[in-house]
Amino acid sequence: MLLLRNLTLSRGPHTLISGASVTIERGWKTGLVGANGSGKSSLLALLAGDLHADAGDCEIQPGTRLARI
């Protein structure tokens, strides 16, 4: 399971995500779409542990697999 609670993510002076909350259950296949520069890669980097949230929580259940291309 992937759980985001009241997540805020900024890169430089730009806030990409503000106050986002979502739960993605184990076994769900989920896509992420958006315009160039909207924060898709930054969100995936956060989920992979390469970035840290400015506020809120990001919890990933042990054993969860995340794929990114």
Side-chain angles (χ1 to χ4, degrees):
M1 175 174 57
L2 168 68
L3 177 63
L4 303 178
R5 281 188 302 246
N6 202 25
L7 183 79
T8 298
L9 179 63
S10 300
R11 296 296 304 235
H14 304 286
T15 300
L16 303 173
I17 300 168
S18 178
S21 296
V22 67
T23 300
I24 300 174
E25 297 291 339
R26 185 177 291 265
W28 290 6
K29 292 174 179 55
T30 306
L32 182 62
V33 296
N36 289 348
S38 63
K40 300 177 302 289
S41 295
S42 296
L43 177 60
L44 291 175
L46 175 115
L47 296 175
D50 298 334
L51 294 177
H52 297 286
D54 295 302
D57 296 313
C58 175
E59 295 180 20
I60 301 175
Q61 185 177 33
T64 299
R65 295 186 310 166
L66 175 70
R68 55 182 174 162
I69 305 171

